[in-house]
Structure formats: C-alpha cells, structure tokens
C-alpha cells in the first residue's frame, strides 16, 4: 500500500478500472440486481462549454443515489445528455462566426471531458443530444400525431418584433421595450404559429398533482397556481354600443368573469382591457383614450408586471346595463385588465376587490359595501384583508340576496342570471395553450410544407426527419432558413407542385419534454420501445427549482399525450422530484473612478476576521489595499466568483471536490463555497488513507470471526452501528451532508480505538468496511482503492457491487447506558449504569457522581429519574 494518498493516481486507476470493465453499462432486467429497476436522472444541461461547481454538486447528488442503490441491489439507470438547441448557440455563432452546430458539438465534447474526471457513474452508451436528427425526428413525429389528434393546431399569436433585425425576439431579449441587439423599439405583431393544446389536459394536470407525493410541496403549489383553476360565474352586461358599421359590439353583450358573484350588487363600474372591442370603439373619437390604449398595449403583460403596476384607467363615456338591478354602469379602460384572461372585462366591485379598490380611490368612483364579516367594520379609508375574504362573508345591502353566505349567494345569483339567460357558472383557467413556434434557426424544424393550392401540408411520416441544415451562420438579422434554398424549396407532398417548408422551429421545451424517455432506448427505431416501459416512470428526478413550472408541466403534459396515443402506460413521468440548492461564493470588489464595480477573485483577497472569526474587512493580496465585501452571491462570471471544477480537481482530486460539495450543506438548500472547507475535505481523505495504513495489519487479521467481544470492543461496535443506522436514514432522505458528517464521526471513532482485547481485530475490520462503504457513494475512488488494498474485495468483490452494510441490531444493545445528571434542572455531569439498573442504584450513582456532588449539600429533597435519559437531583 502506498504510504501517501495520491488522488491523481488513485482516481486515474479507479476510472480506468470502471471503463475497462464497462461498469456503468445498464441493461434491462439485469439478473445481478434482485430489487428491480431504479431510474435516477438529473435534468440535462445546456452545453455552454463550461462545467461549474453547481453541476458538480447536482451530479454528485445523483451519483451518490445511484451508487448506493446499486449496492442495495437495484438495477440503477443514470444517464446524461445535452439540451443542445437554443438561442445561446445562435448568439455564439454571431459572435464567433461559427455555425451553431459546430459550436454546440465542440462544447458537448468539452463539457464531457470536464465531467469525466469527476468519476460519475453515467451510462454514456445512452447519451442523447437533442440537436441530433435521430432524436428530434421524434419531436416531429409526435407533432404530426398531435396534429392528427387535434392536440396541436395553428393560430395567430402576438410576438415581439424587432423591425431593424427583422426578427422575433424572446421576452428576455426585449430590454426596456427595445431589441437587445438593434436597440429598435419593439413592436407587437400577430403572426401564425403552432400550439399544443395543453389546456385540454388542464383538469388532469391539476388533479394528479395530488398523487405526486414524492415532490416538494412548494413545486406542487407552483404548478397548481400556474394551472390556476378559478370557479365563478360568467355573465353579460347588455348594452347599445355600436361600431362604425352600426352593428352592436359583440351583439350587445359585454361578458365578464367573476369569482365573486356574491358581490354583484356592489358593482359601481366596469373595466375592459385595452384590446377589448368596446375600448376600440370608444377610442375612435377620443384621442386621449386612444393614446392611453396604445400605451397599455406597449407595456409588459406578465402577471408580475400586472400585479405591481400602478392601477390606471380612463372612462369611455359608454354605459352598460346591470343584469340584476337594471342600473347604468360606466365602462372604463383599465391597465390591470388582461385581454387574455376570462373575457377581457371585469365587473368593478371596489369594496371587495383590492385592485378595484385602488382604482376607485384613485378616480373617485363610488365604493359600496355588499358583504360583511361579523365583528369587523368597513371603511373606505384603506383596504383591509377581510374585504376580500369570501369564506367568512355574508351579503348585506344586496336586496333580496341579503344574509346569505358565500356559497348560498353564488347559487342564488347564478340561478337568477341563468333564468334571465345572461350567464352561468363557469370554470376559468390561467393555463394557456403552449405556443411552440419560434422564428429561429437552431431548433427542431416544424414538419409542415406550405403549398399555394393545398395550404399547410404535414410532411409525410416516411419523409421524417426534416433535417435542419447545420452549416448556417446566423448574423442576427432573422432566420437563415428563410433564404436557404436547399431547405426551403420542396414539392408539395399532396399535389407535387413547388412549395416551401415552414421555417419556424420548435420551442426547446419540446426537446426537454421527453429526452428522459429516449435515454431508456436511445437506438429504438420507434419513438420509444418496451425498454421505456421497463424504466419509466422515473424514480427520482433531480434538478433546479427554476424548472418547477414550465419544464415539469410540459413533461407531464407530453407524457399524458403519449399515453393517450398508446405509446406509454404511465400517467405521470416523475415519481420523486428533488430540487437541489445553489452553490454560492464570497464576492469582492472595488469601485473605479466612474463608480463601476471591478470584481476580484476570492483567492486574490485576504480576509480579516474579528475574535469570533467573523469576517470584518478584506484587502487585495497584491497591493494590501482594502476591497469591499460584496457578500455571498450565486457563482457568476460577472462577479469573478466562479470556482472551476478542473482547478479543484487538479489541486485536490475529484473525491475532495465531491466530498466538499456534499458536506457544504443540505443538498436542497444553497450552500457557500469555502476554501478552508475544501482543504478540510482534503485533510479528511488524507487521514482516511493514513488510518487505513495504520490499521492494515489489524484489518487483515480481522478476517476470523470473534467468539466474543470485550467491553471496549462492544463500545466500538455500538458507535459504529448506531452511526451506520443514522447514515442509512440520511441516505434514504437524500440528506447527504449528514452522511458525510456520519462518515467523519466513524473515522474519529476508528482512529481513537486502541484496544487489543478480545474481538478487536474483527470489530476493526467490520468498522472500516462499514466506513468505506458509507463513504463510497461520495468518494468512490479512494474507497475503491482502500477496499482493494485492505483485502475486502477478496470476500465481497469490488466495492461497486459490495453489499450495503447491515446494521447489527445486537450491536445496538448496550450493557451500560449513559444518563445525564442534573442538579435543580441544571446539567452537572453524567453517569454510566447497567442497562437494567433499578431506581435505587441509579439514584445512588447520581448522588455519588463527583461533578454533581459539588452542587449538593446535605440530603437531596427529591430525586427524579427519567428512564434512559436523566436524573434530576432537587436540593
Ligand atoms: C368581481 C370581483 C369582486 C372579483 C371581488 C374579485 C373580487 P382569479 O381568481 O385569478 O380567477 N378578472 C376577471 N377577468 C379579468 C381579466 N381579464 N383581467 C383582470 N382581472 C380579471 O381572478 C378572478 C377575478 O379577477 C374576477 O373576479 C375578476 O374580478 C377579475 F370582490 O370579479 B372579480
Ligand atoms: Zn399542393
């Protein structure tokens, strides 16, 4: 055995062994694994080219899970792939004048080579890159199937249009209303696009969230809110408002949707969205209103923007009739009314809707209370929460509806509206159909051919895939497919006349909606085959909480659509979801003359601490002058606080990098990088090596079973098995930081064990074998080496498939137990007594305890024994 731990040698040898033995190749129904399949997968990365420590943390979580479950007898699948289409590749192409394909494939190679030294147990034979025609042909295939089934369809959509670059912009490319590259004022344009009818699945997507009990509650709530089911009433205000042609606008009915029909007698105005037909009519002869409408249309329309924006509006001078009171109600245009929700119009009840309240206060509109809560008083001075609390409310000032609770009032109002033929109960959803058309080059081509005679013709199945030309170098001005004759010009599949291909490509969320199924059968000649039935549903999915809504919802929808086509048998793709936390790091900066922040690498900086070890100031090592402490921030290139895995690996080895990222904190929470933490992890592994060396002869001698264990050996076994029990529980909960602290405790216990009494060698061999296996999923290389060096492999085979150690219940039975001794409730010492000692013996031992005795004068008043825990002496 080598005297000194050399991570580079150890890791190289272990990885070579795994590669040569094809150790991570997974096959279905592998008879070596009696417990059956377990599919554990990390969300696939975007191949940016750079692997960062955050990736290391995520993949180590995945790797620990996979390696431990394999030892427990599961057939574990852990694949990896690349989310390879998308905008950054096009931007890089513009910057470097390279095709997105070249850039992407080079990055994949590069990132893979940065992943390899980490020793992750990926089955690379199942690698998928979503930009590969063998993959995206099935996006196209399922798109065509969805068209056939009416799940996919075409309609016009409003997009951000950059008039200089002649291109559609994603929301994040619009900065302060201007194109990110051209600086041109962005226009909203209506253009045709394809949609997936995810709303057809809204009810099921919502109700089956209840079954996803292996998902974090937070994510389930976010999904529920995103789907946003609202139950209420839809009804019409009648009116005489006419358009230019003299026709009644919307047949004289202005529909609204409300979740509070119980407040209908409190309506004092109505508000419509800027795009509503009544707003259009009113703006004809009203320049001020027309300008306001234009302003509203240009502004952002995200939920967040709507919620925070100052409520503004203008009256239209037009009136509608209240269906129950017959009163005339003025219509306003309000910037908080969304055209895309409900009917784009609301009944304004300022007393009980917070937005209407703010609006009415601002414009002096009447506020009329129509519901009350016992014991609460109403004023129009300021908004109070209870004004909107429907569950507690009873109707007041509402004529024939007075005195009803929420449900009764809703039923009564709805019944009257139904009787008048102007409304009914209705469920409204926030969820919208998924627009998948992107006017972009680097994505899956939408398999449609446009023919002047036949219209939009689906590409015949046998002509798939529609291959994306890979040689284009976009220059930022529009989609290069639009001028690519070879791609564009094709005969119409129906009539044979010359026609042209659709040049839009699919949203990259399509790619990530099912890649995890393709891993199960990457070479299948159909979209998926029976291997997918074996592996899916996935047992554990691991990824960032930033995907809590869109990606996970799309993947759930896609799975249900595939199920309805008979392609899969499952209803939900992911049984368990784990959302890992981010890795953060200190940041340091100085402001230059212009006030711009210049950031320094943490290792260029010396930090001064106070006597409690808290950082108080920092200075630059090179000039000794102070720098500002920027706090602990997400690792980011712009703040110079990124730590590169390759630097840590070359200095300390992959096992240290992995150990640190797991020890840094609970995996589902963010954790801070710390150089001293990394050094600590490295020291621990050197100690592990040294301890193995020190005890190697004892461990070798320990192969013979012991007939009996001396008392101090029993104490060792008690420590080891109770720690193992803790570690087992932590593995089950993916609480890997305390797995590491358990392993640290085990090493301390082993290191300080000096006995040569009966059974000591056997117990030592057992203890070290448990430590190595407990630590193997975190640090697979060093434990692989020591397992072999210390001779465990002779009995148990390589550590990769060694049986997971069992807690020996007998070792947990203690002959002696420790009890805390308190005097007047204050902890003063502890005693060891026989496990079955009687009360008198315990009391005598407690009173005799030296450290407690110092606080006792004369005879104690009372002694209380809490069995198994403590003795309290009252004096
Ligand atoms: C009157 C009312 C009184 C309302 C009250 C609420 C409280 P959720 O729960 O999100 O579905 N609303 C309807 N259509 C709208 C639109 N296009 N843009 C903005 N707001 C709209 O919200 C439903 C409520 O949002 C509806 O119920 C309506 O205001 C408003 F005390 O009607 B309510
Ligand atoms: Zn045709």
């Amino acid at each position: 055995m080598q005297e000194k731990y050399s991570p580079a040698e150890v890791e190289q040898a272990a990885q070579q062994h795994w590669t040569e033995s094809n150790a991570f190749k997974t096959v279905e129904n592998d008879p070596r694994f009696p417990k059956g399949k377990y599919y554990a997968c990390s969300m696939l990365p975007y191949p940016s080219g750079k692997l960062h420590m955050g990736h290391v943390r995520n993949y180590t979580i995945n790797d620990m899970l996979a390696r431990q479950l394999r030892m427990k007898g599961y057939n574990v699948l852990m694949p990896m792939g690349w989310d390879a289409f998308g905008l950054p590749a096009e931007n890089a192409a513009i910057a470097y004048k390279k095709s997105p394909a070249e850039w992407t494939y080079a990055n994949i190679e590069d990132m893979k080579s940065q992943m390899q030294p980490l020793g992750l147990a990926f089955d690379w034979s199942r690698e998928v890159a979503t930009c590969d025609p063998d993959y995206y042909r099935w996006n196209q295939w399922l798109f065509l199937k969805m068209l056939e089934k009416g799940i996919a369809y075409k309609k016009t959509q409003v997009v951000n249009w950059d008039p200089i670059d002649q291109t559609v912009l994603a929301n994040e490319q619009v900065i302060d209303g201007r194109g990110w590259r051209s600086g041109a004022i962005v226009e909203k344009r209506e253009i045709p696009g394809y949609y997936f009818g995810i709303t057809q699945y809204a009810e099921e997507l919502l109700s089956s969230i209840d079954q996803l009990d292996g998902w974090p509650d937070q994510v389930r709530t976010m999904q529920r809110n995103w789907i946003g089911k609202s139950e209420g009433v839809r009804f019409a205000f009648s009116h005489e408002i006419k358009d230019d042609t003299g026709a009644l606008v919307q047949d004289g009915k202005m529909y609204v949707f409300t979740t509070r029909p119980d407040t209908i007698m409190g309506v004092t105005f109505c508000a419509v969205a800027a795009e509503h037909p009544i707003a259009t009519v009113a703006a004809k002869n009203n320049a001020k209103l027309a300008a306001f409408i234009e302003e509203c249309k240009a502004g952002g329309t995200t939920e967040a923007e709507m919620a925070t924006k100052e409520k503004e509006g203008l009256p239209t001078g037009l009136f509608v009739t209240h269906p129950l009171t017959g009163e005339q109600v003025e219509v306003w245009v309000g910037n908080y009314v969304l055209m895309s929700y409900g009917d784009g119009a609301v009944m304004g009840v300022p007393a009980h809707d917070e937005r209407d309240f703010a609006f009415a206060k601002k414009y002096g509109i009447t506020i009329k209370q129509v519901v009350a809560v016992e014991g609460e008083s109403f004023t129009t001075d300021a908004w109070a929460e209870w004004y909107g609390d429907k569950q507690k409310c009873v109707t007041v000032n509402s004529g024939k509806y007075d005195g009803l609770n929420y449900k009764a009032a809703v039923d009564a109002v709805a019944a009257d509206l139904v009787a008048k033929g102007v409304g009914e109960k209705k469920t409204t959803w926030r969820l919208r159909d998924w627009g998948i058309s992107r006017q972009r080059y680097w994505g899956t081509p939408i398999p449609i051919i446009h023919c002047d005679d036949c219209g939009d013709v689906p590409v015949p199945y046998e002509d798939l895939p529609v291959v994306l030309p890979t040689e284009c170098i976009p220059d930022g001005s529009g989609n290069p497919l639009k001028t690519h004759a070879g791609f564009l010009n094709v005969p119409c599949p129906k009539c044979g006349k010359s026609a042209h291909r659709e040049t839009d490509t699919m949203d990259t969320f399509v790619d990530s909606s099912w890649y995890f199924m393709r891993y199960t059968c990457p070479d299948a000649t159909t979209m998926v085959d029976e291997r997918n039935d074996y592996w899916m549903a996935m047992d554990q999915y691991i990824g960032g909480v930033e995907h809590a809504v869109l990606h996970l919802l799309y993947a759930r929808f896609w799975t249900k659509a595939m199920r309805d086509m008979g392609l899969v048998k499952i209803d939900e793709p992911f049984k368990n979801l784990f959302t890992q936390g981010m890795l953060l790091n200190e940041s340091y900066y100085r402001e230059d003359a212009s006030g711009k922040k210049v950031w320094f690498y943490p290792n260029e900086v010396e930090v001064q601490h106070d006597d409690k070890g808290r950082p108080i100031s920092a200075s630059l090592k090179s000039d000794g002058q102070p720098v500002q402490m920027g706090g602990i921030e997400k690792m980011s290139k712009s703040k110079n606080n990124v730590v590169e895995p390759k630097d840590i690996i070359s200095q300390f080895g992959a096992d240290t990098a992995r150990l640190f990222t797991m020890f840094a904190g609970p995996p589902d929470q963010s954790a801070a990088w710390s150089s001293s933490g990394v050094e600590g992890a490295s020291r621990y592994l050197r100690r592990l090596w040294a301890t193995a060396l020190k005890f190697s002869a004892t461990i070798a001698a320990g192969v013979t079973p012991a007939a009996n264990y001396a008392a101090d050996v029993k104490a060792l076994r008690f420590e080891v098995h109770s720690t193992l029990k803790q570690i087992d529980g932590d593995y089950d909960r993916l609480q890997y930081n305390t797995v590491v602290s358990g392993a640290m405790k085990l090493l301390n216990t082993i290191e300080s064990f000096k006995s040569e009494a009966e059974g000591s060698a056997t117990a030592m061999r057992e203890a070290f074998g448990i430590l190595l296996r407990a630590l193997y999923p975190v640090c697979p290389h060093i434990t692989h080496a020591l397992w072999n060096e210390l001779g465990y492999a002779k009995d148990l085979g390589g550590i990769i498939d060694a049986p997971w150690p069992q807690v020996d219940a007998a070792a947990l039975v203690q002959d002696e137990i420790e009890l805390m001794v308190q005097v007047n409730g204050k902890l003063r010492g502890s005693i060891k007594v026989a496990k079955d000692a009687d009360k008198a013996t315990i009391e005598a031992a407690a009173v005799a305890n030296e450290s407690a005795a110092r606080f006792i004068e004369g005879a104690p008043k009372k002694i209380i024994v809490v069995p198994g825990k403590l003795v309290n002496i009252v004096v």
Side-chain angles (χ1 to χ4, degrees), residues 451 453-454 457 492 494-497:
C451 168
D453 291 348
C454 311
V457 183
C492 167
K494 260 196 188 153
C495 70
K497 281 209 331 204

Side-chain angles (χ1 to χ4, degrees), residues 687 691 694-695 746-754 764:
R687 255 177 65 209
T691 311
K694 181 172 126 193
F695 287 109
L746 277 179
L747 182 61
N748 290 344
T749 306
I750 289 170
E751 251 183 341
S752 57
F753 184 68
K754 296 207 176 60
M764 178 54 82

Side-chain angles (χ1 to χ4, degrees), residues 259-311:
T259 48
R260 295 295 306 270
D262 59 320
T263 66
I264 195 165
M265 302 306 269
V267 172
T268 55
F269 71 101
C270 282
V272 297
E275 298 86 351
H276 194 279
I278 290 183
T280 313
V281 167
K284 277 271 148 59
N285 307 309
N286 184 338
K288 206 172 144 205
L289 185 62
F292 176 68
I293 289 173
E294 279 318 304
E295 203 182 295
C296 290
K297 284 184 182 169
T301 53
T302 64
E303 293 271 327
E305 284 166 316
M306 296 303 261
T308 51
K309 141 161 105 187
E310 168 85 17
K311 314 281 170 283

Side-chain angles (χ1 to χ4, degrees), residues 31-147:
R32 292 180 298 164
F33 303 108
K35 293 243 181 84
K37 71 98 185 179
Y38 194 96
Y39 185 7
C41 179
S42 300
M43 289 180 187
L44 88 177
Y46 183 80
S48 61
K50 279 256 184 275
L51 192 75
H52 54 72
M53 281 318 287
H55 289 123
V56 175
R57 192 175 189 221
N58 301 354
Y59 304 149
T60 305
I61 295 170
N62 199 171
D63 201 40
M64 284 188 70
L65 183 73
R67 288 182 187 264
Q68 199 239 2
L69 290 179
R70 177 167 173 164
M71 291 169 102
K72 289 183 104 173
Y74 289 93
N75 188 20
V76 181
L77 172 60
M78 183 173 80
M80 181 44 66
W82 312 98
D83 189 13
F85 273 139
L87 212 48
E90 289 193 40
N91 294 340
I94 297 166
Y96 306 120
K97 311 241 177 319
K98 257 190 208 171
S99 74
E102 191 187 341
W103 184 83
T104 304
Y105 281 109
N107 279 353
I108 289 176
E109 279 321 303
D110 203 25
M111 266 178 97
K112 205 165 153 182
S113 71
Q114 294 169 58
M115 271 187 203
Q116 234 107 38
L118 284 165
L120 301 161
F122 291 126
D123 179 354
W124 284 108
S125 72
R126 295 168 181 267
E127 180 179 358
V128 166
T130 58
C131 63
D132 187 337
D134 268 347
Y135 179 74
Y136 67 67
R137 71 175 296 160
W138 300 109
N139 293 346
Q140 297 172 338
W141 184 84
L142 202 79
F143 170 87
L144 295 175
K145 287 276 168 205
M146 291 206 210
L147 267 186

Side-chain angles (χ1 to χ4, degrees), residues 230 257-260 263 336-338 341 346 352-353 355:
S230 280
F257 171 73
T258 178
T259 48
R260 295 295 306 270
T263 66
Y336 65 100
V337 185
L338 288 168
Y341 190 73
V346 301
H352 305 291
D353 179 274
R355 292 162 300 182

Side-chain angles (χ1 to χ4, degrees), residues 68 181 299 350 405 776 836 866:
Q68 199 239 2
R181 264 171 47 83
N405 67 19
Y776 160 78
D836 48 6
V866 182

